Amino acid sequence: MIVDRINRATRRVPAWPIYIVAVAIAGFQFYQGLTGALGPEPINALEREYGELALKLLIAGLVITPLRTFTGVNLIKYRRAIGLSAFFFATAHLAVWAFLDVRAWSRVIEEIIKRPYVTIGMAAFVLLIPLAVTSNKASIRAMGANWRKLHKLTYPAVLLGGIHYVWLVKGWPAEPFIYLAVIIALLAVRFKPFRFQRARA
Amino acid sequence: AAGVGLVGSSAYAQDALTPNSKSDIESYNNFYEFGTGKEDPARNAGKLDTSNWTIAVDGLVDNPGEYSLNDLIGGLTVEERIYRFRCVEAWSMVVPWNGIELADILDRVGVQSSAKYVAFETVVQPENMIGVQRNVIPFPYVEGLRLDEARHPLTIMATGIYGEPMANQNGAPIRLVVPWKYGFKSIKSIVRISLVDEQPPSTWNLINAREYGFYSNVNPNVSHPRWSQATERKIGGGLFAARQDTLMFNGYDEVAGLYEGMDLATFY
């Protein structure tokens, strides 16, 4: 069975390279920004690259549970690395915005308060902070059942991230709406009524 | 192509401005007919067919008809105009346009006294335009100006950049340039000019009237509902370029008289 083969292979493939790849990608994109490979407006391009990667990784983290329930493929050992990498890119996205784009604390605060799409993005980031802080074995042990409850904050965080993206675009480009649709679908499969129906089928 | 080449430099050419490189100007564009990404127009606009270009001139004019480029602008004075270009998305460039004052073209077609506005329309070539196939916004793209705005000497119809025919992604073979308004007013690849007596529709205003008004004058004091217009980033400054303050009317104060008595927060 292909599922068993994948699950057996995951025993041999560790999760730690995900961190190295994430940092390497971020570094490479920054280098591209410096050398002009991101086009003549690299600040906006880098902001967008980091933001999209944060969203992609958050979505990847949301895929893992339904993937296991629906197909039996178990990638759960990679979830922490995926989640922390998402947080890393969200931090990089925020840093580019604050330090390269806006560049003044007063204006950063003003934008967060006055611009709803910024407010939402910031809220998503704030929700991710406790998750990143508690993503270690000691916290899991110390918090017990509360850890699982706390980490459900991922759901509103990803949803806000998706809305943040849709809210800032002009017109109807496909990409942000595809992200949001995927996020909503991945959250929907977690609802009880849906799970119940599937169990009977 | 007709209309390209320098026949004198105008008093309006602003030598104090440093133009962006040709590659900046040709690689960072909004032209939704060719996709919504900034790099999409450069990638996709090569397919635009600009051969045998004609422009329909209709409405309240003495000489309506289907004009070839040469019929419309041949013999008129082409000038270099180095203008600031400010996008509603809060980025900017400086572009050395080559073009003809729109007023000269209007005189050639003979505007009737009942006309109050000029309406423009962009070409639609679905087979050559990936953005049109995907319907990212309603097409054809349309824009308009009040007649006094259209006749202002700063308002030009550009056919070239840096003394060469402009690239398709910049709006070849002929486009409007209104330097004191947000870039989307400067409609590209024009195939129709209509003189009308009522305010004509404009595409972004149709899509979202709260965010994009008919006038759309550059105004640092009136925010876009979603973002500030107080500052802008000039394209091409690299990763560490700071934003610069946006100027009222994009620095073209001489147009202020056109809006005397109008509340620019209402008529945004």
Side-chain angles (χ1 to χ4, degrees):
Chain A
M1 276 277 287
I2 181 86
V3 171
D4 296 325
R5 286 241 292 279
I6 293 171
N7 287 342
R8 259 201 309 278
T10 62
R11 261 168 245 150
R12 291 192 305 272
V13 181
W16 59 263
I18 291 173
Y19 298 109
I20 294 177
V21 170
V23 173
I25 288 173
F28 178 65
Q29 288 179 330
F30 193 85
Y31 169 78
Q32 284 187 307
L34 284 175
T35 56
L38 294 183
E41 218 288 56
I43 299 173
N44 194 271
L46 200 60
E47 212 170 86
R48 194 178 163 131
E49 291 285 347
Y50 287 168
E52 278 189 4
L53 272 164
L55 263 184
K56 278 179 186 149
L57 286 162
L58 285 169
I59 289 170
L62 281 186
V63 165
I64 287 173
T65 298
L67 189 69
R68 190 178 53 174
T69 15
F70 286 97
T71 71
V73 171
N74 187 353
L75 301 176
I76 207 116
K77 73 182 273 199
Y78 303 110
R79 194 164 63 179
R80 177 193 299 166
I82 288 171
L84 279 172
S85 298
F87 182 70
F88 166 71
F89 277 107
T91 309
H93 170 69
L94 179 61
V96 170
W97 175 73
F99 298 120
L100 295 181
D101 189 346
V102 183
R103 289 186 188 220
W105 284 114
S106 59
R107 278 207 52 225
V108 166
I109 309 279
E110 189 189 323
E111 292 282 297
I112 290 171
I113 294 167
K114 273 175 79 173
R115 313 286 164 207
Y117 80 91
V118 183
T119 316
I120 283 186
M122 198 63 209
F125 179 76
V126 169
L127 289 176
L128 291 177
I129 294 172
L131 309 190
V133 171
T134 59
S135 59
N136 52 72
K137 284 210 176 86
S139 296
I140 296 171
R141 235 177 281 125
M143 294 176 66
N146 286 332
W147 190 91
R148 293 183 63 116
K149 265 190 213 153
L150 178 70
H151 279 247
K152 290 216 158 78
L153 281 180
T154 318
Y155 306 157
V158 184
L159 188 60
L160 290 174
I163 295 169
H164 168 67
Y165 191 10
V166 163
W167 204 324
L168 66 88
V169 294
K170 256 169 70 210
W172 303 97
E175 254 194 334
F177 291 94
I178 293 171
Y179 277 82
L180 187 59
V182 170
I183 289 167
I184 289 170
L186 285 169
L187 294 180
V189 296
R190 287 169 157 84
F191 274 120
K192 282 240 162 62
F194 194 85
R195 284 213 300 243
F196 181 63
Q197 274 181 6
R198 183 168 40 78
R200 277 195 314 194
Chain B
V4 176
L6 298 181
V7 188
S9 205
S10 130
Y12 295 96
Q14 312 220 5
D15 298 327
L17 297 172
T18 310
N20 277 83
S21 70
K22 199 155 184 273
S23 107
D24 285 355
I25 295 166
E26 293 181 352
S27 64
Y28 198 80
N29 307 100
N30 277 326
F31 198 163
Y32 278 20
E33 283 82 343
F34 296 106
T36 54
K38 294 286 174 292
E39 67 290 353
D40 289 342
R43 194 183 301 140
N44 301 325
K47 292 176 91 177
L48 179 71
D49 180 8
T50 57
S51 59
N52 305 313
W53 197 267
T54 59
I55 298 159
V57 177
D58 55 25
L60 305 167
V61 290
D62 296 333
N63 312 309
E66 196 80 18
Y67 285 75
S68 72
L69 258 188
N70 196 50
D71 290 343
L72 193 69
I73 62 175
L76 298 178
T77 307
V78 180
E79 296 178 18
E80 179 179 64
R81 299 283 179 96
I82 302 172
Y83 282 160
R84 291 183 204 88
F85 181 93
R86 171 61 157 79
C87 179
V88 74
E89 296 164 348
W91 54 266
S92 66
M93 290 187 182
V94 174
V95 184
W97 304 103
N98 309 105
I100 297 116
E101 286 187 13
L102 177 56
D104 291 349
I105 296 174
L106 293 177
D107 288 342
R108 177 166 284 186
V109 301
V111 177
Q112 294 174 0
S113 58
S114 50
K116 293 191 176 64
Y117 295 88
V118 189
F120 304 88
E121 190 178 307
T122 295
V123 70
V124 178
Q125 294 175 0
E127 67 284 7
N128 298 332
M129 292 175 149
I130 187 90
V132 171
Q133 291 163 22
R134 290 181 192 154
N135 255 313
V136 290
I137 53 171
F139 297 109
Y141 193 90
V142 291
E143 260 304 341
L145 295 173
R146 224 169 50 191
L147 193 55
D148 57 345
E149 299 175 318
R151 281 195 170 284
H152 194 280
L154 281 173
T155 304
I156 60 167
M157 294 284 268
T159 52
I161 293 173
Y162 272 113
E164 291 169 35
M166 70 172 68
N168 290 349
Q169 61 266 33
N170 293 116
I174 187 164
R175 67 170 291 171
L176 181 68
V177 178
V178 194
W180 71 90
K181 292 176 180 284
Y182 293 121
F184 66 84
K185 291 293 291 183
S186 293
I187 181 172
K188 291 171 166 173
S189 304
I190 292 168
V191 291
R192 181 181 300 277
I193 301 174
S194 309
L195 276 294
V196 293
D197 58 1
E198 278 177 23
Q199 183 176 299
S202 53
T203 291
W204 281 103
N205 181 252
L206 292 172
I207 294 168
N208 193 337
R210 204 172 70 87
E211 297 192 347
Y212 310 100
F214 175 77
Y215 287 94
S216 288
N217 294 318
V218 175
N219 188 340
N221 308 314
V222 176
S223 289
H224 183 279
R226 286 179 287 156
W227 56 80
S228 166
Q229 296 290 22
T231 63
E232 66 202 45
R233 189 162 37 248
K234 192 182 168 194
I235 298 303
L239 208 43
F240 304 108
R243 287 171 169 273
Q244 59 192 46
D245 287 341
T246 290
L247 304 170
M248 187 66 210
F249 296 122
N250 206 21
Y252 299 97
D253 295 327
E254 57 264 54
V255 301
L258 296 174
Y259 309 103
E260 222 164 291
M262 287 173 72
D263 178 359
L264 295 180
T266 309
F267 297 98
Y268 52 90

